Amino acid sequence: ENEESVGDTDNKTQSEDSNVALEKLNSLIGLDKVKKQVKEFINLNIINQKRKEQGLQVVNTSMHSLFLGNPGTGKTTVARIIGDVLYQKQVISRPDVIEVSRADLVAEYVGQTASKTREVLKSALGGILFIDEAYTLSNGGENDFGREAIDEILKFMEDNRDDIMIIFAGYPKEMRKFLKMNSGLKSRIPNVFDFEDYTADEVVQIGLFDLSKRQYILENEDTYSEVVKDSYENTNDHSNGRWIRNVNEKLIAIQAERLASSPNDMDDIDMLKTITEEDLLKLKG
C-alpha cells in the first residue's frame, strides 16, 4: 500500500482495505466484548489523527495497550487486525506486528539487556510491538535483567508515543500483578482489552470451522458437538482455540487409523473426507 494517499482512488482502496480488516474482526467467533472495545479504540485513534491534521488538541494519544486473557483467545489475531486498520487509516506508518517474548528482550549478561531491548523497540517503530507473556519480565528477583528491559521500554514508550503501539499481553492475574510492580507502566497504558475464554458453544463453532477448512465432513455434527462440549467442561486445559484444534488433530488421527486398515476406503474421496460417528465415539473413549 502507498502510505502517501494520491488522489481519491487511493483513499478509496485504503478504506476498502480497512473494511476488509473490520469484517475479519466481525467474523471472529465470540469475543463480543473485545470487538466492541477494538472498534471504540480504532475510532478514537482515527478521529485523533484527523484532529492532529487540523491542528486541534488531542486527548489520550497513547495507543499502548494491555491484552488480558488466556492462551488461544485470539490476542495475536486481533493485534494484526488493529495493525491493518490503523495503517489503512494512516494512524501508523506500517501494518507490521512484531511479536516478541522475554527471550527476545532480555540478555544473559550484565549491561546487554538495554541495547537488546532498544534494538527490538526500534525494529517495531511505526508499527506494533506485541510482547507476549509480558509479566515474565518482572518474574525474577532483584538482580533479574527483566527490570532493565522494563526501564528501557518505559523510556521508549514516552519518547515515541505517537510512533509505536506497544501491546503487553498475558494471563489476567499475572498481568495485574506485573502492573502493580511498576506504577510507571500502569500510567502509560491507558487501553485495556479483556479476552474472555470461549464458551462451550463457541468452541464447537471454532472446531467445526477448523474441520471444514481442512476439508473434512462430519457424519453427525450433533455427536461432535456433544463430545466436544462434554470434553471442554471436564478439561483443565484453558487454551481455548488451541485446545479445540488439538481435539481435531486427535480426531483426524483416529480417522486415519481406521482408513489405513481398510484399503478399499482409502481410495474413496468421500471416505477420505468423512469423520464417522464411530471416530467421534473413539475420541470420547
Side-chain angles (χ1 to χ4, degrees):
E1 284 312 317
N2 213 356
E3 277 170 40
E4 305 294 322
S5 58
V6 187
D8 291 338
T9 49
D10 209 38
N11 277 337
K12 192 163 176 284
T13 31
Q14 293 205 332
S15 65
E16 277 167 10
D17 286 343
S18 62
N19 287 341
V20 170
L22 286 171
E23 270 163 31
K24 205 167 163 190
L25 178 71
N26 288 332
S27 71
L28 293 176
I29 291 161
L31 302 178
D32 295 337
K33 192 174 172 185
V34 162
K35 287 176 185 170
K36 190 171 175 293
Q37 289 177 306
V38 166
K39 284 172 192 159
E40 287 168 1
F41 171 79
I42 284 170
N43 290 336
L44 177 68
N45 281 290
I46 289 169
I47 298 306
N48 275 348
Q49 185 63 22
K50 295 286 177 204
R51 285 180 64 91
K52 265 188 229 166
E53 286 164 15
Q54 300 293 346
L56 294 168
Q57 277 289 314
V58 173
V59 287
N60 175 17
T61 58
S62 173
M63 294 184 284
H64 306 314
S65 302
L66 282 182
F67 276 23
L68 306 180
N70 284 323
T73 44
K75 297 191 287 289
T76 320
T77 306
V78 169
R80 290 195 190 114
I81 290 170
I82 290 176
D84 280 341
V85 179
L86 293 183
Y87 169 67
Q88 306 301 348
K89 296 291 186 185
Q90 298 174 330
V91 176
I92 55 180
S93 56
R94 44 191 269 237
D96 312 342
V97 176
I98 310 282
E99 289 174 60
V100 296
S101 58
R102 179 189 161 99
D104 301 298
L105 301 167
V106 178
E108 287 173 50
Y109 303 104
V110 175
Q112 294 181 338
T113 293
S115 60
K116 190 174 181 180
T117 301
R118 210 173 311 128
E119 283 309 306
V120 170
L121 288 160
K122 279 185 193 157
S123 76
L125 258 182
I128 295 176
L129 181 68
F130 184 96
I131 305 174
D132 202 14
E133 297 183 351
Y135 53 85
T136 56
L137 292 172
S138 64
N139 274 359
E142 279 307 305
N143 301 322
D144 184 71
F145 301 145
R147 307 283 169 107
E148 211 181 311
I150 295 172
D151 292 340
E152 204 52 47
I153 292 166
L154 281 172
K155 188 177 174 314
F156 200 88
M157 283 167 87
E158 205 46 50
D159 297 346
N160 302 278
R161 195 193 308 191
D162 295 339
D163 293 324
I164 191 169
M165 173 180 179
I166 300 178
I167 296 172
F168 297 83
Y171 299 106
K173 204 171 105 195
E174 283 86 342
M175 289 301 286
R176 294 208 166 91
K177 211 165 109 190
F178 168 62
L179 288 179
K180 277 200 185 110
M181 291 181 75
N182 197 312
S183 56
L185 271 174
K186 200 172 173 149
S187 63
R188 285 177 179 81
I189 314 172
N191 312 294
V192 182
F193 298 89
D194 291 300
F195 289 74
E196 290 156 323
D197 282 338
Y198 291 117
T199 64
D201 283 324
E202 286 164 356
V203 159
V204 168
Q205 252 182 295
I206 293 166
L208 289 170
F209 181 70
D210 178 54
L211 284 175
S212 77
K213 213 166 63 181
R214 301 183 196 214
Q215 296 185 298
Y216 284 94
I217 296 162
L218 287 159
E219 196 171 66
N220 190 335
E221 282 193 9
D222 290 344
T223 308
Y224 177 80
S225 171
E226 219 171 279
V227 170
V228 167
K229 283 182 185 175
D230 196 44
S231 196
Y232 192 58
E233 260 131 46
N234 294 307
T235 183
N236 295 321
D237 177 348
H238 297 293
S239 65
N240 294 278
R242 220 171 288 169
W243 177 85
I244 187 63
R245 280 190 286 276
N246 288 341
V247 168
N248 282 350
E249 298 281 346
K250 274 184 215 153
L251 195 50
I252 288 166
I254 289 168
Q255 186 241 33
E257 186 92 354
R258 172 177 55 78
L259 286 175
S261 58
S262 52
N264 295 340
D265 292 344
M266 277 162 57
D267 295 324
D268 180 331
I269 188 165
D270 290 332
M271 292 306 274
L272 285 171
K273 283 186 188 170
T274 305
I275 287 170
T276 64
E277 184 94 9
E278 182 196 339
D279 297 334
L280 285 162
L281 295 175
K282 262 199 187 144
L283 182 71
K284 201 173 181 179

